[in-house]
Amino acid sequence: MNGRHALVVGASGLSGSHATAALAAAGWRVTGLSRSGRGPGAHRTIALDLGRPEAAEASRGEFEDVQDLVICTWSMQASEAENVRVNRAMLETLFVALEDAPLRHVSLVTGLKHYLGPFESYGSGRPYSPFLETQPRLPGDNFYYAQEDVVFAEAERRGIPWNVHRPHSMIGYALGNAMNVAVTLAVYASICKETGRPFVFPGSQAQYEAVADVTDARILARQIVWALQTPEAANLPLNVANGDVFRWYWLWARLAEYFDLEPAPYPGAPTPLQAQMADAEPIWEDIVARHGLQPTRLHEIASFWHSDADLGREIECITDMKNSRVRGFTAYQDTLSSFTDVFDRLRAERVIS
């Protein structure tokens, strides 16, 4: 143990669970906070709903020795205006609960909607790519900006450093996460294999042919730990991606090979997963029963709508990492392995066959 105590907020999710594991491996004592009270790998877990300010006020005594705060949480609402209101209030409530904590650093995980805009206008302004950490905010509502503003104000009030980590599409093992492309594609491939449906790339032709990158949750976690230990990285936004690039038509063929499928020819137009899989819940129930898999619900483990947003973009999306690269963060992750490592674990855990 290095004597430091980290609180990971959203510890049951994709980024939070991997951050917890990386911090614990690096010697932190880790407390995980989530609505469910789950926090895989944490030394201690706390159940707290940040949508209830009275509960946060009552929990202040739980955090009296927390030094490093890692925020990996958000709550999706019906509109971006509501996203802004609710997610700002959640972080304000969090800092009320942490009023007595001797914080030394705060890390916030957001993402590329900082550059692409919110779901309501996602990618519509044809923003410049590669995404640069120096790019200004887009006009209009964006809950990432609201979260940042709360963190910036609190860090200034306390006189402590901050970092904002901005991953691209997230790849990693976590079930029930709304932004997990790897699990969604594993489920899609499994259904295609069982039913004989063509394994067709569901997104846009622009995305199918463009150069792209993604972010393994393990790389994000390593960057979080690195930034906490690197004074030169203080008070900076930090993009993070695997470090390689690919084209989806190449990767699609590799994913098909993993599942013993033939990659279907691109059909010439998007065929969104949300529409393709509209009738798939009973199909998934049958797959689970016949193969003796973990009892899971399709809509709980696959985020078809979010993968459609990522794969349906009409612009090339590449992430520049200058802020961390020039300061010594050189971690690299092979993207194909990012996917196949998740697929291997899903099989080992009997989530897919």
Side-chain angles (χ1 to χ4, degrees):
M1 305 292 280
N2 63 15
R4 292 169 68 170
H5 182 190
L7 175 68
V8 177
V9 183
S12 64
L14 177 55
S15 56
S17 61
H18 285 82
T20 296
L23 286 162
W28 266 260
R29 178 164 55 94
V30 184
T31 295
L33 187 151
S34 64
R35 279 186 290 268
S36 65
R38 292 186 298 111
H43 298 97
R44 182 173 68 119
T45 59
I46 295 174
L48 178 63
D49 181 357
L50 294 176
R52 299 179 58 235
E54 68 282 3
E57 178 70 36
S59 69
R60 284 174 57 166
E62 299 278 359
F63 309 110
E64 289 179 345
D65 62 346
V66 170
Q67 297 159 303
D68 298 310
L69 173 63
V70 180
I71 304 169
C72 307
T73 191
W74 70 291
S75 178
M76 187 173 181
Q77 305 299 312
S79 69
E80 194 59 20
E82 277 298 287
N83 277 335
V84 168
R85 183 187 68 80
V86 169
N87 287 281
R88 177 190 290 122
M90 285 172 57
L91 293 203
E92 290 171 344
T93 296
L94 172 64
F95 283 111
V96 169
L98 293 168
E99 181 60 33
D100 301 325
L103 290 182
R104 294 169 47 178
H105 190 284
V106 56
S107 305
L108 171 67
V109 176
T110 61
L112 291 198
K113 286 189 289 298
H114 185 94
Y115 308 108
L116 289 162
F119 293 120
E120 293 174 0
S121 56
Y122 192 61
S124 61
R126 299 193 66 82
Y128 174 82
S129 175
F131 302 118
L132 305 175
E133 292 143 326
T134 55
Q135 288 175 225
R137 291 179 174 184
L138 301 173
D141 287 337
N142 190 318
F143 80 88
Y144 282 169
Y145 304 160
Q147 287 184 315
E148 284 186 343
D149 287 343
V150 175
V151 166
F152 296 159
E154 189 67 17
E156 182 177 10
R157 183 177 76 87
R158 292 177 181 250
I160 61 173
W162 55 267
N163 285 110
V164 177
H165 300 268
R166 297 173 184 161
H168 196 164
S169 300
M170 291 283 288
I171 309 299
Y173 182 85
L175 301 183
N177 184 271
M179 296 184 174
N180 197 336
V181 177
V183 174
T184 297
L185 294 184
V187 169
Y188 173 52
S190 298
I191 291 173
C192 288
K193 186 172 182 178
E194 290 287 333
T195 62
R197 298 186 187 200
F199 186 58
V200 58
F201 181 77
S204 69
Q205 186 161 358
Q207 199 63 210
Y208 189 58
E209 297 176 351
V211 175
D213 58 21
V214 295
T215 304
D216 192 301
R218 296 170 294 190
I219 284 286
L220 168 62
R222 290 174 68 180
Q223 190 191 63
I224 289 169
V225 172
W226 169 83
L228 286 169
Q229 298 173 317
T230 306
E232 297 80 10
N235 303 324
L236 289 171
L238 301 171
N239 289 344
V240 56
N242 280 357
D244 63 0
V245 295
F246 63 93
R247 297 183 194 274
W248 269 105
Y249 67 76
W250 174 87
L251 184 61
W252 200 252
R254 309 286 89 72
L255 302 187
E257 182 179 7
Y258 181 95
F259 288 98
D260 297 321
L261 293 166
E262 286 294 324
Y266 186 72
T271 52
L273 291 172
Q274 195 162 21
Q276 284 194 58
M277 298 289 103
D279 64 345
E281 189 74 57
I283 296 172
W284 183 250
E285 290 177 2
D286 180 63
I287 291 171
V288 168
R290 284 191 296 107
H291 292 280
L293 304 179
Q294 280 193 43
T296 57
R297 300 292 301 278
L298 182 63
H299 70 276
E300 293 174 345
I301 61 170
S303 53
F304 297 124
W305 66 273
H306 189 269
S307 294
D308 284 340
D310 274 358
L311 302 180
R313 294 179 296 211
E314 295 289 345
I315 61 171
E316 187 174 80
C317 296
I318 306 174
T319 309
D320 182 84
M321 291 180 59
K322 180 177 180 179
N323 277 354
S324 57
R325 290 296 192 223
V326 301
R327 291 167 176 84
F329 182 71
T330 59
Y332 170 88
Q333 169 65 46
D334 174 71
T335 288
L336 178 57
S337 296
S338 290
F339 281 91
T340 58
D341 286 353
V342 174
F343 300 161
D344 287 346
R345 186 167 174 189
L346 288 170
R347 280 183 167 166
E349 299 285 343
R350 302 296 298 160
V351 178
I352 63 173
S353 63

